[in-house]
Amino acid sequence: MKWVQAFLLIVILGEIASFSIFTLQADSLLDEGYFHMRQAGNILKNWVPLSHDQGRELIVLPLYDYLIAALSLFTGLLLAIKILSIFLMFAILLFIFLISRKITGNQTAGLFSASLAGMMSAFYFNFAGAAILLAIFILLIFIFMLTKYSTRKKFIFILLALFLILMFTHVLYLVLVLSLLVYMFFLKMEDVKHEQGEIEIIVCIVFIAAWFSIVFFRDSLFLHGVRALFGNLPSGLRSQLPSIIQVIIQIGIIAFFFGIYAAYNYLFMKKNKIIYLCVSLLLVFFFSVLFSSISPREGILASGIILCILSSFVWRDFFVFIEKTHISKFKQFIQIGIILLVIVMGILILMHEQNVVKSSLLSKNDLEAIRWIGNNTGKDKTVFSLYDEGNAIEAIASHPVFLDSSFLLTKNSDEVFNDSQKVLSTYETEAVRLLNKHSIKIFFYSQRAHVLYPKPEYLNDGSCFELLFDNGASVYQPKCEVVQG
Amino acid sequence: MKRINKSPTTALIFLVIASFIASAFPFIMSVINSSDFFYGDAQYHLRLSRYNPLESFAKADPLSMYGEKLNYTPYHALIFILSKFLPLLLSFLLVGAISGVMCILVYYALLLRLGLGVSKAFVACIVALFTPAFMHLYGTPNSDGLAIVAVLAAILIYMNTRNLIGGIISFLLFSFAVTFGFWHAFFCSMFIIVAVIIDRRRYSLALFGAYILFLALFSRFGIVSNIRPAVFPFGIFSDLGFNSGIGIFTFLLSVIGAYVLWKRRQEFWFLFLLAVTFLVSIFTFSSVGVYYLLLILGIFCSAAIFRLMEGEFELEFIRKLVIVVVLFGFTFSLFIYGSGFTKNKYEGSLLESFRWLENKPTGSVLTAPDYGFLAQNLAGKPVAYTPNPDNMSLFGYRNPLSASAALASREIKYIVIDQPMRYGLVWDRDDEGLLFALRDSTIFKKIYDKGGVEIWSVG
């Protein structure tokens, strides 16, 4: 092993260690993590995930939850989620390395791609409880298998099995199906040499995915029509897209520009099949995020990983070029220089972004307040909170909530979301009317909410809002009612 | 398939039997699920089929509050006449089954005329037959089925006869289809244009001119065009709950079929043209186009099925898997369509309440749009809302005085409310909108309360 490779390996191990420490030290999970925690808890009790909740139905792709449940038999739910995330991050980096090495035929390029991916702050936005990590892991194995295409029956079985597993994990399977269709389109349009079997597998996958989607998402498609494709997200949330600067920061400046350059260079100048697949995935990820089919958090991570894989081409080609020049004897120094640059930029961004992630999580005090709600108030009382705190309240306090982030089968999601926003920004009578309208009995005002919304004036009116608990995060009981004459 | 290829007569016999089965499917499912065969729009056709044709054609609907025209068609006249000799239900079933058989036979003949082989035409017919849209068309009370038979027959006669008599008969059949509504005239025009381009004759332009003239003259009677476009993009898929749609697998197979036929686009250009026109029209003008689209998709599906079965595959296992998945998909579509009938049931107490209302003094009825046709049929009174209204503002008034004024301005005297309306169908809560206003006993009086159904009289 060359010492550049050894150095890259150490960098990757450092990245995994950093992610592990951050994940294990965090007090709270992602909002989505609490959703999976509840599902896994239900699997442990009843062997099946929760499909009915608070009078509504939930659409669950349960594989990730089953994995957590299985792991929690040894560790407990919270730790199981964290350990699984760390393992998945490691596995993703491993497959980025394997794919990049396979497509470039260059081990150092593969390690470079993996180290770029490990530096992505997007991982920290999906750190504990994000099913997308498992989905990306499966997607990478799928891509890896495609790069080794063969007509053997065993190979086809593995590809189909991977796709079936992905279908039961995350809606990313739809992204993959669309990407494969775009990929097929590229192959035909650009007349790229390909195997007939590849097209046959894609057609088969499209049919299987169509059938699965009808069975699983039928209710949602029927209820919301085309909105179901956009996750039935309220328009208020749909418009909250990250800026291009945020995207670049979360992916990493070098990974972003190297990846884009490789996509441009190979798409138009060199006809490489795997590039077409990666570009197809990037295009579909972009539009999926734009149309809210997957969240920006997930989309950025998945796109970032594809861009990291593409970056390996730039690394390989650049050093092939260097070898032909007079400065070829400095090749290893240049390599180390680039790696150091990546590390310095990555560490600076990570330090900043880790703080951003931490500030967006529920604090210790928030969690304590939620536990207090669970222990001291009636389990049937509906709790008002920010929409992305709903899953934590459901999982920890076992209380019904006014709104959480599962919008897929929520009726009038726009109205409910707008009401939730209005409650925090309106005057007392209107707030009480809205709280009455949704039969809310407990008002949870977290430390997170303190940062995001100024405290509503009406919460100081003790005659209408009785303060039940306060440790920085506050719990109120609305007591007034608006009666219309 | 080889046997069918050798003997077109066997194919015909199979098609007739299959057509009867497909047409009977909705009725059989209604019986199995103990649901109402006359549900939703069928109640409208049931009412119209009791009207005398001489007094109803191009007349205003006596039970419409807004002076809308009756959508009275030759179909209703035919049922009216048949019902003089047979029970009404049997008349509906018989007309549906016979027109279904006629439709598929004419379609089959037309496909053969267009150059498809016997087995390919047969498969196209089978795909079309077992699509929910076809079953809905000929298995439930529906006037569109007869119009489609007329259009297909007109094209077949036009293409099969070289003399002027054939031209005149096809003109008459096209004109007959126009009497079923504006959108049939529209889709009919598409077919005429294509037929005339494919098989140009000396009198083609004259035929087309005569048709346009007839259309213009007929439109003076007021052609009904009340069928809305389908909801984009899923409004044509029966798997997602739209009864008169096609299965998603029919659509996917059609896409593959279109790809396969694209290589022969010089020969089949008109299929692509019609498919695109119908698809656009369905989502922009009227969902009736889905029945016409089905006829085109049947051909595409047939091409795809033969490609799957006879084409070269590098991975034999994948071919088998795709065929199994497609079969599952078709079965699933049928299962979903069949299971939809469990919901087609009116509560006995609701039927009773509307019958009770029949003998009350005249006045319009406000009830859920879904019950609109039922209320017209049983209570014999005009209703404020029929299915798919533009708005339902009358249910939103909370102030009793405003509610009373709004109801009085539309001459509404009765409000019929049942439990599904209170919890989901119209309102979500007990004190919402008009439910709150009803608390004012000086204006609203409860005159009927039985089995969870209430009838309120207005001031």
Side-chain angles (χ1 to χ4, degrees):
Chain A
M1 187 188 278
K2 292 177 196 169
W3 60 278
V4 174
Q5 291 173 358
F7 184 53
L8 278 169
L9 204 58
I10 293 168
V11 171
I12 293 169
L13 290 175
E15 288 164 354
I16 295 171
S18 160
F19 183 75
S20 306
I21 293 166
F22 179 83
T23 305
L24 291 170
Q25 279 186 345
D27 298 317
S28 148
L29 303 174
L30 291 175
D31 176 59
E32 187 196 338
Y34 285 107
F35 174 79
H36 294 298
M37 188 170 148
R38 206 153 63 97
Q39 292 294 343
N42 204 65
I43 288 169
L44 287 173
K45 271 189 214 158
N46 309 316
W47 296 97
V48 287
L50 206 61
S51 56
H52 296 271
D53 183 37
Q54 299 176 32
R56 66 172 177 171
E57 290 193 23
L58 292 171
I59 294 176
V60 186
L61 299 174
L63 195 81
Y64 184 68
D65 305 318
Y66 275 103
L67 263 181
I68 295 170
L71 201 59
S72 71
L73 293 173
F74 310 101
T75 59
L77 278 172
L78 199 67
L79 196 57
I81 292 175
K82 291 182 173 185
I83 290 175
L84 188 61
S85 299
I86 294 166
F87 168 76
L88 287 171
M89 192 255 193
F90 167 73
I92 287 171
L93 295 190
L94 176 68
F95 269 88
I96 291 173
F97 163 69
L98 290 175
I99 294 171
S100 306
R101 189 184 63 171
K102 170 79 186 159
I103 58 179
T104 58
N106 185 323
Q107 191 141 322
T108 318
L111 285 169
F112 175 70
S113 286
S115 66
L116 273 183
M119 280 288 173
M120 280 198 305
S121 59
F123 267 116
Y124 292 80
F125 286 91
N126 293 277
F127 78 102
I132 187 79
L133 289 178
L134 179 60
I136 290 175
F137 172 53
I138 300 164
L139 177 74
L140 290 177
I141 306 177
F142 189 91
I143 296 174
F144 183 64
M145 294 302 294
L146 264 188
T147 60
K148 294 175 152 223
Y149 174 78
S150 109
T151 52
R152 278 181 302 154
K153 214 170 188 177
K154 197 171 141 194
F155 168 81
I156 300 160
F157 272 126
I158 294 173
L159 264 189
L160 290 178
L162 281 170
F163 185 73
L164 287 177
I165 293 171
L166 185 60
M167 283 198 311
F168 284 98
T169 306
H170 195 274
V171 286
L172 199 73
Y173 80 89
L174 284 174
V175 174
L176 177 60
V177 168
L178 292 175
S179 307
L180 288 173
L181 288 173
V182 176
Y183 169 65
M184 204 163 82
F185 176 75
F186 275 135
L187 292 184
K188 294 281 177 194
M189 288 297 287
E190 294 292 309
D191 208 14
V192 180
K193 194 182 163 201
H194 62 278
E195 308 290 336
Q196 171 68 16
E198 278 182 81
I199 306 294
E200 290 164 13
I201 292 173
I202 292 173
V203 170
C204 181
I205 281 176
V206 169
F207 274 101
I208 293 174
W211 193 46
F212 179 85
S213 307
I214 300 166
V215 175
F216 252 76
F217 298 103
R218 185 173 175 268
D219 288 345
S220 177
L221 288 166
F222 185 54
L223 197 63
H224 307 300
V226 75
R227 277 181 67 111
L229 294 181
F230 312 140
N232 189 34
L233 278 190
S235 46
L237 279 179
R238 246 184 290 147
S239 55
Q240 290 178 8
L241 287 173
S243 67
I244 187 72
I245 302 292
Q246 283 171 304
V247 172
I248 294 173
I249 286 175
Q250 282 192 34
I251 290 174
I253 298 167
I254 291 180
F256 183 83
F257 287 108
F258 275 24
I260 295 286
Y261 174 74
Y264 162 76
N265 197 22
Y266 277 79
L267 191 65
F268 297 112
M269 296 176 191
K270 300 169 187 176
K271 290 182 177 176
N272 183 315
K273 242 172 34 174
I274 203 72
I275 294 273
Y276 283 115
L277 180 58
C278 289
V279 171
S280 309
L281 279 163
L282 273 180
L283 280 174
V284 178
F285 279 133
F286 175 75
F287 284 105
S288 302
V289 171
L290 202 65
F291 294 120
S292 308
S293 301
I294 57 173
S295 68
R297 167 176 66 83
E298 296 173 325
I300 291 172
L301 176 65
S303 312
I305 284 167
I306 301 296
L307 287 171
C308 287
I309 292 173
L310 288 172
S311 301
S312 62
F313 284 102
V314 178
W315 174 277
R316 183 196 65 182
D317 291 355
F318 180 66
F319 288 105
V320 166
F321 168 74
I322 290 288
E323 271 176 359
K324 291 176 190 164
T325 64
H326 293 297
I327 54 168
S328 62
K329 54 191 164 190
F330 301 114
K331 182 183 152 189
Q332 288 193 328
F333 291 108
I334 297 170
Q335 286 179 332
I336 293 291
I338 293 176
I339 295 165
L340 285 174
L341 183 69
V342 169
I343 293 172
V344 172
M345 287 170 77
I347 288 176
L348 288 175
I349 291 174
L350 278 185
M351 281 167 61
H352 175 259
E353 293 295 292
Q354 280 188 1
N355 290 332
V356 174
V357 176
K358 270 186 186 160
S359 66
S360 69
L361 298 174
L362 287 167
S363 66
K364 257 186 187 168
N365 288 352
D366 289 335
L367 293 170
E368 191 188 336
I370 293 173
R371 274 186 217 105
W372 185 90
I373 293 172
N375 295 331
N376 297 286
T377 57
K379 292 284 181 197
D380 57 336
K381 290 186 173 173
T382 306
V383 181
F384 174 86
S385 67
L386 299 184
Y387 82 96
D388 51 358
E389 293 167 352
N391 282 316
I393 293 168
E394 286 167 328
I396 299 171
S398 306
H399 270 258
V401 292
F402 163 58
L403 182 65
D404 61 24
S405 51
S406 309
F407 292 105
L408 210 49
L409 284 178
T410 305
K411 276 186 196 169
N412 310 324
S413 61
D414 266 329
E415 184 195 334
V416 177
F417 182 76
N418 290 341
D419 283 355
S420 81
Q421 299 289 298
K422 216 171 180 183
V423 165
L424 290 165
S425 57
T426 188
Y427 53 93
E428 186 165 7
T429 318
E430 181 64 1
V432 170
R433 190 187 70 77
L434 291 170
L435 294 173
N436 290 167
K437 178 181 165 188
H438 297 286
S439 312
I440 287 157
K441 303 290 180 220
I442 294 169
F443 191 113
F444 174 57
Y445 188 57
S446 64
Q447 284 188 319
R448 272 186 77 227
H450 272 281
V451 178
L452 297 169
Y453 299 90
K455 186 175 178 180
E457 201 55 43
Y458 59 76
L459 288 179
N460 298 323
D461 177 4
S463 59
C464 251
F465 289 88
E466 185 187 348
L467 182 63
L468 300 177
F469 180 88
D470 189 15
N471 66 349
S474 322
V475 179
Y476 297 89
Q477 183 176 15
K479 291 163 75 180
C480 295
E481 209 171 309
V482 173
V483 180
Q484 295 193 4
Chain B
M1 279 302 154
K2 280 176 190 165
R3 190 176 296 172
I4 283 171
N5 250 338
K6 280 179 193 165
S7 163
T9 323
T10 318
L12 274 178
I13 294 168
F14 267 122
L15 284 179
V16 171
I17 295 169
S19 177
F20 270 117
I21 294 171
S23 307
F25 186 78
F27 179 69
I28 294 168
M29 292 314 294
S30 300
V31 174
I32 291 172
N33 293 310
S34 315
S35 55
D36 291 309
F37 182 65
F38 292 104
Y39 187 85
D41 288 1
Q43 284 286 340
Y44 179 73
H45 296 295
L46 183 64
R47 176 166 70 91
L48 260 61
S49 60
R50 292 201 187 102
Y51 291 168
N52 188 330
L54 299 173
E55 294 163 5
S56 310
F57 191 74
K59 295 275 162 55
D61 188 344
L63 299 186
S64 162
M65 286 174 53
Y66 311 104
E68 288 155 352
K69 292 232 172 214
L70 265 183
N71 193 7
Y72 201 87
T73 65
Y75 171 80
H76 303 108
L78 190 61
I79 302 272
F80 175 80
I81 296 164
L82 258 185
S83 64
K84 299 288 171 202
F85 311 102
L86 295 169
L88 202 54
L89 174 65
L90 195 60
S91 308
F92 273 106
L93 290 175
L94 204 63
V95 169
I98 292 172
S99 24
V101 170
M102 281 167 63
C103 174
I104 215 66
L105 291 183
V106 175
Y107 179 52
Y108 178 68
L110 198 57
L111 294 184
L112 292 180
R113 171 69 181 79
L114 287 172
L116 265 74
V118 173
S119 54
K120 283 183 181 158
F122 176 77
V123 170
C125 289
I126 290 290
V127 170
L129 267 176
F130 289 100
T131 303
F134 187 91
M135 296 188 192
H136 188 78
L137 195 58
Y138 294 106
T140 62
N142 193 320
S143 60
D144 300 317
L146 213 52
I148 289 166
V149 175
V151 173
L152 288 178
I155 299 168
L156 183 68
I157 290 171
Y158 175 80
M159 295 183 88
N160 269 350
T161 53
R162 309 296 305 176
N163 53 25
L164 190 60
I165 301 292
I168 290 170
I169 294 174
S170 68
F171 161 74
L172 290 175
L173 280 167
F174 275 130
S175 308
F176 176 72
V178 171
T179 60
F180 285 83
F182 175 77
W183 293 114
H184 285 291
F186 175 79
F187 291 111
C188 201
S189 311
M190 295 288 117
F191 274 118
I192 294 177
I193 292 168
V194 167
V196 166
I197 295 173
I198 292 175
D199 200 352
R200 200 172 297 168
R201 317 250 173 88
R202 250 188 303 174
Y203 58 82
S204 294
L205 273 179
L207 170 72
F208 189 62
Y211 172 76
I212 296 295
L213 191 66
F214 175 80
L215 205 62
L217 287 172
F218 190 78
S219 63
R220 286 183 61 84
F221 291 104
I223 305 178
V224 179
S225 58
N226 57 355
I227 302 172
R228 289 160 180 251
V231 181
F232 183 80
F234 302 124
I236 57 168
F237 295 120
S238 56
D239 306 285
L240 301 176
F242 297 93
N243 268 343
S244 52
I246 53 174
I248 283 186
F249 273 77
T250 311
F251 186 77
L252 284 179
L253 264 187
S254 307
V255 173
I256 294 180
Y259 175 74
V260 171
L261 284 182
W262 186 248
K263 288 165 193 159
R264 294 169 66 187
R265 56 186 177 277
Q266 300 286 358
E267 194 182 342
F268 292 117
W269 60 269
F270 57 92
L271 292 179
F272 295 97
L273 178 73
L274 286 174
V276 172
T277 314
F278 291 161
L279 211 52
V280 172
S281 312
I282 288 165
F283 292 119
T284 44
F285 303 126
S286 168
S287 59
V288 157
V290 81
Y291 302 125
Y292 291 93
L293 180 70
L294 170 67
L295 302 172
I296 307 296
L297 296 192
I299 302 171
F300 286 147
C301 280
S302 172
I305 289 169
F306 275 89
R307 172 70 180 81
L308 279 179
M309 286 165 65
E310 294 174 356
E312 276 182 23
F313 263 70
E314 192 176 283
L315 308 169
E316 191 54 34
F317 167 71
I318 290 288
R319 178 216 299 273
K320 287 176 188 162
L321 187 63
V322 170
I323 291 173
V324 169
V325 174
V326 167
L327 282 177
F328 264 116
F330 278 130
T331 318
F332 183 76
S333 293
L334 277 185
F335 173 76
I336 290 290
Y337 178 62
S339 64
F341 285 91
T342 49
K343 288 179 278 181
N344 293 358
K345 190 163 174 56
Y346 295 117
E347 288 298 323
S349 51
L350 187 70
L351 300 176
E352 202 181 321
S353 66
F354 284 132
R355 285 194 191 108
W356 180 86
L357 208 53
E358 189 183 4
N359 302 319
K360 294 289 146 197
T362 47
S364 300
V365 179
L366 175 67
T367 188
D370 288 7
Y371 305 152
F373 292 142
L374 178 74
Q376 285 178 330
N377 202 17
L378 295 186
K381 293 188 164 47
V383 293
Y385 298 124
T386 50
N388 306 316
D390 289 329
N391 66 67
M392 299 205 291
S393 56
L394 287 175
F395 292 115
Y397 287 98
R398 281 177 69 85
N399 185 311
L401 289 174
S402 324
S404 161
L407 294 171
S409 70
R410 290 167 176 80
E411 295 176 1
I412 291 170
K413 276 201 178 156
Y414 306 101
I415 305 168
V416 182
I417 299 169
D418 70 346
Q419 294 302 314
M421 283 175 71
R422 279 181 183 273
Y423 304 108
L425 196 57
V426 175
W427 300 281
D428 288 317
R429 295 189 321 277
D430 265 337
D431 62 345
E432 200 180 339
L434 196 61
L435 285 180
F436 185 81
L438 288 178
R439 293 177 187 180
D440 189 335
S441 57
T442 57
I443 299 174
F444 301 101
K445 289 193 174 55
K446 197 191 280 185
I447 54 173
Y448 179 95
D449 189 353
K450 204 172 170 185
V453 183
E454 296 165 9
I455 301 179
W456 298 73
S457 73
V458 184

